[in-house]
């Protein structure tokens, strides 16, 4: 007779968890076998996404197509992996994407790792990435765009620039390089997404016509970055540098700035440049990108007097010596530049030389103010070779609500072996756009 064995109830309870675990393992194996097979056999429909909610205002005017269209499918890859391939059109540009996934199934879950690439067809724009993820919710992604040359003929940036509706800037040409890096992850120890991204711009040269004048930027470079946790974002300080800027008849070299982002504006903590043999600097400029209203004072340190005076269209001559001072400027709406009371002066005790080849603009103003013709004639001779110990240029509002430019000189002049003291103060009124060679159409009157 066959022996029958019975098990205590407690022992039966210990067996059930193992049976349940076996069922789960069989289910995982079945899914690992069936789901990929089903995925590669499906004919997926074309997906269309409406991008117009993210393209408001000027951004919407830069593209003609405001959708993203995606056709995708799956195929078996090497070593048991799978490949997702996608083609379509992102806004105005066709694209191709590819994702290689290598899954691995474990008793406690599923893990996957792989790489991906995305490119805009027939353009140099390409992004590659590597990633890993697990069913526990942990994941990590590293993406990068290698240094890529950009120029005005670029099929992406070229189109965007051509669609910018502006009459102030034309004939834009540029050449430079840009690269991108990004990292994001979610870990068991830190169960919210963390990310960081950086962008590098190197050797960017730009040329354009601003108004009716040529403007060039040589050697622009910038390292920009940001990081975030969940919905919080921090923008890293920006330190743009430019070798040389030529605009409106002025040349600035070794241009630098230190910029920090606030919640609603950018704070330029310091900026400066070499100008006319001296230095220009400014501090604590708040710039609101939406309104573009800003006020700043430029501090002038040791610029060459002759180079500075040549920017006055009424001055024809040469000068030596150094000038110091400040120039308050207010920008309204990014289009209007208004000057406030400003001055440049020579330091007491320092002398310089002034030679005026054509004194007519100065003498005409003096004659209009009632200065006798004989005095004007003597001043014409004195200004031909003047050693000054006082040179001051000031700009201030006049009674008509415009701006008046005052030139003050004091020193000694030698003519035919005769040395005489000179003290001269002359004020220029009228349209300072013609007198001061700024090249901006921005000296406005209230």
């Amino acid at each position: 007779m066959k022996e029958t064995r019975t098990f205590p109830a407690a022992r039966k309870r210990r067996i059930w968890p193992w049976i349940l675990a076996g069922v789960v393992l069989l289910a995982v194996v079945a899914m690992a076998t069936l789901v990929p097979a089903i995925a590669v056999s499906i004919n997926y429909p074309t997906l269309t996404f409406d991008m117009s909610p993210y393209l408001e205002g000027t951004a919407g005017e830069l593209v003609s197509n405001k959708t993203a269209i995606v056709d995708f499918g799956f195929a078996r890859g090497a070593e048991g992996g799978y490949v997702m391939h996608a083609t379509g059109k992102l806004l105005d540009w066709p694209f191709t994407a590819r994702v290689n996934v290598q899954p691995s199934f474990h008793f406690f879950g599923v893990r996957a790792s792989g790489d991906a690439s995305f490119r805009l067809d027939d353009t140099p724009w390409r992004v590659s990435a590597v990633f890993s993820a697990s069913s526990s919710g942990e994941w990590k992604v590293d993406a990068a765009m290698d240094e890529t040359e950009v120029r005005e003929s670029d099929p992406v940036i070229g189109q965007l620039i051509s669609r910018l509706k502006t009459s102030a800037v034309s004939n834009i040409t540029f050449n430079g390089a840009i690269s991108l890096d990004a990292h994001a992850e979610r870990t068991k120890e830190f169960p919210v997404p963390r990310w960081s991204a950086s962008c590098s711009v190197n050797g960017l040269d730009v040329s354009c016509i601003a108004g009716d004048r040529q403007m060039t930027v040589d050697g622009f470079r910038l390292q920009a970055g940001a990081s975030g946790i969940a919905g919080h974002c921090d923008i890293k300080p920006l330190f743009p540098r430019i070798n040389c800027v030529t605009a409106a008849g002025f040349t600035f070299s070794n241009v630098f700035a230190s910029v920090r982002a606030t919640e609603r504006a950018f704070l330029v903590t310091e900026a400066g440049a070499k100008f006319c043999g001296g230095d220009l600097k400014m501090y604590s400029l708040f710039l609101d990108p939406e309104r573009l209203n800003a006020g700043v004072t430029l501090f002038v340190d040791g610029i060459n007097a002759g180079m500075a005076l040549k920017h006055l269209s009424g001055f024809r001559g040469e000068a030596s010596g150094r000038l110091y001072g400040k120039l308050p400027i207010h920008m309204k709406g990014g289009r209007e530049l208004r000057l406030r009371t400003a001055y440049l002066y020579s330091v007491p005790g320092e002398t310089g030389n002034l030679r005026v080849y054509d004194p007519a603009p100065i003498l005409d103003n003096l004659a209009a103010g009632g200065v006798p013709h004989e005095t004007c004639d003597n001043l014409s001779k004195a200004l031909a070779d003047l050693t000054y110990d006082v040179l001051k240029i000031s700009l201030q509002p006049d009674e008509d609500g415009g701006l008046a430019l005052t030139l003050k000189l004091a020193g000694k002049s030698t003519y035919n072996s005769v040395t005489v003291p000179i003290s001269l103060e002359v004020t220029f009124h009228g349209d300072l756009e013609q007198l001061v060679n700024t090249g901006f159409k921005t000296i406005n009157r209230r």
Side-chain angles (χ1 to χ4, degrees):
M1 184 175 180
K2 188 175 181 180
E3 181 181 0
T4 302
R5 301 181 62 184
T6 61
F7 297 92
R11 190 173 180 182
K12 291 180 179 180
R13 286 195 297 269
R14 288 196 298 268
I15 295 176
W16 277 111
W18 290 100
I19 296 175
L20 181 61
V23 172
V24 172
L25 180 60
L26 290 174
V28 171
V29 173
M31 290 181 62
T33 304
L34 296 176
V35 171
I38 296 173
V40 299
S41 63
I42 294 177
N43 185 19
Y44 295 93
T46 299
L47 302 180
T48 301
F49 302 93
D50 182 14
M51 306 292 288
S52 58
Y54 311 101
L55 299 169
E56 299 179 352
T58 302
E61 299 175 355
L62 301 181
V63 293
S64 57
N65 174 45
K66 297 180 176 60
T67 62
I69 303 173
V70 183
D71 287 304
F72 68 97
F74 293 87
R76 292 189 178 274
E79 299 180 359
Y82 299 91
V83 178
M84 187 200 79
H85 52 85
T87 59
K89 192 172 186 181
L90 177 62
L91 302 177
D92 289 337
W93 302 282
F95 73 86
T96 301
R98 184 180 179 90
V99 181
N100 300 307
V101 182
Q102 191 71 37
S104 58
F105 300 91
H106 304 273
F107 184 77
F108 295 103
V110 182
R111 295 178 183 176
S113 61
D115 60 83
S117 65
F118 176 90
R119 73 173 186 270
L120 296 179
D121 299 341
D122 301 321
T123 78
W125 299 98
R126 177 188 176 92
V127 177
S128 59
V130 293
F131 62 87
S132 62
S134 70
S135 57
S136 64
E138 295 182 278
W139 52 265
K140 181 173 68 173
V141 178
D142 288 285
M145 183 184 76
D146 294 335
E147 189 168 76
T148 302
E149 184 179 5
V150 294
R151 55 178 63 246
E152 70 280 355
S153 59
D154 183 274
V156 178
I157 296 182
Q159 174 182 313
L160 298 177
I161 292 178
S162 67
R163 289 175 174 266
L164 284 173
K165 295 182 179 180
T166 173
S167 58
V169 180
S170 61
N171 294 6
I172 301 175
T173 61
F174 59 88
N175 182 42
I178 185 172
S179 61
L180 301 170
D181 287 284
H183 171 80
E185 66 177 9
R186 183 181 185 272
T187 64
K188 184 182 299 183
E189 296 76 17
F190 208 95
V192 294
R194 292 184 296 174
W195 62 272
S196 63
S198 63
C199 172
S200 176
V201 180
N202 293 309
L204 180 62
D205 300 329
V206 182
S207 176
C208 65
I209 301 297
D212 57 353
R213 292 179 176 271
Q214 183 79 19
M215 176 179 177
T216 61
V217 176
D218 297 326
F220 175 85
R221 52 199 183 276
L222 172 68
Q223 295 284 341
S227 60
I229 299 176
H232 177 76
C233 175
D234 293 312
I235 299 177
K236 296 181 180 180
L238 305 175
F239 302 98
R241 298 290 186 269
I242 306 176
N243 292 340
C244 184
V245 177
T246 302
F250 295 97
T251 298
F252 306 89
S253 60
N254 296 337
V255 182
F256 71 93
S258 176
V259 185
R260 297 180 182 274
T262 65
E263 291 183 359
R264 296 186 56 186
F266 289 95
L267 170 63
V268 182
T269 56
E270 181 182 6
K274 292 290 185 180
F275 174 71
C276 289
D279 295 295
L280 295 180
K281 287 190 176 181
M282 68 178 185
Y283 306 90
S284 300
L285 167 64
F286 276 95
L287 183 61
D288 187 339
E290 294 183 0
R291 300 179 181 178
L292 289 179
N293 293 333
V296 65
T297 297
L298 292 178
F299 294 93
V300 181
D301 185 12
I303 66 173
N304 182 281
M307 298 173 70
L309 289 173
K310 285 182 179 179
H311 288 291
L312 301 179
S313 62
F315 177 80
R316 299 175 183 87
E318 60 182 67
S320 63
R322 296 283 170 178
L323 296 176
Y324 305 80
K326 65 178 184 178
L327 178 62
I329 299 175
H330 179 73
M331 182 171 63
K332 183 177 181 181
R335 297 182 179 181
E336 297 180 1
L337 185 66
R338 293 177 177 174
L339 303 179
R340 300 293 188 262
T341 300
Y343 56 85
L344 295 174
Y345 61 89
S346 60
V347 174
E350 293 186 6
T351 61
N353 186 259
L354 175 67
R355 292 185 176 91
V356 179
Y357 305 142
D358 180 8
I362 297 176
L363 301 182
D364 290 346
N365 276 269
L366 292 175
V371 178
H373 175 75
E374 183 179 354
T375 302
C376 290
D377 185 57
N378 290 332
L379 283 174
S380 174
K381 298 175 181 179
L383 293 174
D385 189 359
L386 172 67
T387 300
Y388 68 85
D389 49 32
V390 174
L391 171 57
K392 184 175 182 179
I393 304 171
S394 61
L395 186 69
Q396 54 191 351
D398 59 19
E399 297 178 354
D400 298 329
L403 293 170
L405 182 69
T406 300
L407 174 64
K408 183 177 181 179
L409 286 167
K412 296 179 180 180
S413 176
T414 301
Y415 186 78
N416 289 336
S417 301
V418 178
T419 300
V420 295
I422 294 294
S423 179
L424 170 67
E425 183 171 333
V426 57
T427 299
F428 298 90
H429 296 275
D431 191 351
L432 289 181
E433 284 188 1
Q434 298 179 7
L435 182 63
V436 182
N437 182 23
T438 63
F440 297 104
K441 297 178 179 179
T442 50
I443 297 181
N444 298 281
R445 299 181 178 179
R446 294 184 179 276

